[in-house]
Amino acid sequence: MIKIAVVDDNPFDTEWILNCIKKCECFPELEITCFSDGQDLINTYKDNKKFDIILLDMMMEKVNGLDTAKFVRTLDTHVEILIITETLEYAVEGYTVNARRYYQKPLKQDDFLKEMNTIISNIKNNESLTLTIHNAQGITRVKLNDIYYIESLTRTITIHTATSQLAMTGKISEMEESIKEYGFMRVHKSFIVNFKYVKNIFKDIITLDNNETILLSKHKSKQVHDALMAYIQSR
């Protein structure tokens, strides 16, 4: 299920948004949660629940949309945020939290639906991509989206996710070739990283969202910086 949060303190606007979402191409695959204030969404994130898409009103009485989005970004750098509000006054601030789009009420339904269908399709495609691991424990399929980085030591390749480490025999060059078009890049002779989880690059160190650090080869530094910026812009 693709998880969507609708955050708006106006019940009429919330109902209108829900009616739009119901017209999405794969509505039965969507799990929708409504919040009447930004603080409610913040509390949900504090309880370790995340969403794939957040439809966020900017002007709310208790905690406004901008402050809500800033907090969410401290815990989730990948959720798609669409800001929906009555004024364009805070449009620039909205993009500082990496909002995908900024919609002014009343929404144009066709434009909104087209964007939602595109986002949902991208999420579904990314979720379906897997890497097959062959080792002594058998055959294991790992979602590419779940891989933080891949490490090579002699002929042993280790796949690192948030919850596991899977080892197999192979060549990192072959692994690099098979996944490089999906947001992965070899940043060192021994490491391939998933740009999705890169939080910071400083000198010869890459820090991931889980605070693990990866060595960055000096001769690859500019190439990696350029590739990361291209990845961010494409998102």
Side-chain angles (χ1 to χ4, degrees):
M1 299 292 284
I2 295 173
K3 296 178 173 60
I4 300 176
V6 178
V7 190
D8 199 311
D9 61 356
N10 186 320
F12 298 102
D13 289 339
T14 298
E15 186 64 26
W16 191 94
I17 292 170
L18 288 175
N19 287 333
C20 280
I21 294 175
K22 289 176 182 178
K23 296 176 183 178
C24 287
E25 295 170 357
C26 55
F27 173 68
E29 301 173 52
L30 308 180
E31 178 184 305
I32 305 167
T33 306
C34 295
F35 301 94
S36 59
D37 187 76
Q39 187 63 52
D40 297 332
L41 179 67
I42 288 172
N43 292 339
T44 301
Y45 263 86
K46 287 181 178 178
D47 290 334
N48 296 319
K49 181 175 181 180
K50 293 186 177 182
F51 295 89
D52 299 298
I53 305 170
I54 297 176
L55 307 178
L56 182 63
D57 184 27
M58 184 63 80
M59 305 297 291
M60 293 181 287
E61 289 187 6
K62 294 181 181 179
V63 181
N64 64 41
L66 184 60
D67 289 340
T68 300
K70 285 180 178 177
F71 178 84
V72 167
R73 282 295 183 222
T74 66
L75 299 177
D76 190 344
T77 58
H78 310 295
V79 59
E80 298 282 12
I81 297 178
L82 278 68
I83 291 176
I84 304 170
T85 191
E86 295 178 356
T87 175
L88 296 177
E89 180 181 356
Y90 300 100
V92 175
E93 289 89 341
Y95 287 114
T96 65
V97 294
N98 198 23
R100 181 183 177 103
R101 288 286 299 273
Y102 197 108
Y103 287 101
Q104 187 174 14
K105 297 177 182 178
L107 279 72
K108 296 179 180 179
Q109 181 173 285
D110 290 346
D111 184 35
F112 178 69
L113 273 176
K114 181 180 179 181
E115 184 73 4
M116 286 294 293
N117 284 327
T118 297
I119 295 171
I120 291 167
S121 177
N122 289 341
I123 292 172
K124 289 177 65 178
N125 288 339
N126 288 339
E127 283 294 316
S128 67
L129 295 171
T130 61
L131 184 67
T132 303
I133 310 299
H134 299 261
N135 56 23
Q137 286 70 49
I139 299 174
T140 305
R141 293 175 64 197
V142 181
K143 290 182 179 179
L144 290 185
N145 265 348
D146 292 339
I147 298 173
Y148 277 69
Y149 68 98
I150 298 169
E151 181 181 11
S152 174
L153 181 62
T154 60
R155 290 273 298 175
T156 299
I157 294 175
T158 304
I159 315 297
H160 295 260
T161 73
T163 58
S164 65
Q165 296 181 15
L166 298 170
M168 63 179 288
T169 300
K171 296 180 179 179
I172 192 170
S173 58
E174 294 177 355
M175 182 70 72
E176 173 191 13
E177 190 63 29
S178 68
I179 62 175
K180 65 181 182 181
E181 65 180 290
Y182 304 114
F184 289 81
M185 186 172 183
R186 191 171 179 182
V187 298
H188 183 276
K189 66 178 182 179
S190 300
F191 296 105
I192 297 172
V193 299
N194 186 348
F195 280 145
K196 174 181 177 180
Y197 295 110
V198 172
K199 181 167 68 174
N200 176 262
I201 298 180
F202 183 70
K203 295 184 178 179
D204 59 349
I205 296 294
I206 296 173
T207 303
L208 304 180
D209 284 351
N210 62 358
N211 291 321
E212 287 193 66
T213 56
I214 305 296
L215 288 175
L216 170 60
S217 173
K218 289 183 179 180
H219 77 272
K220 281 181 170 285
S221 181
K222 185 181 185 305
Q223 183 183 357
V224 171
H225 277 82
D226 291 346
L228 177 60
M229 290 306 300
Y231 172 82
I232 292 171
Q233 290 169 5
S234 72
R235 295 281 294 173

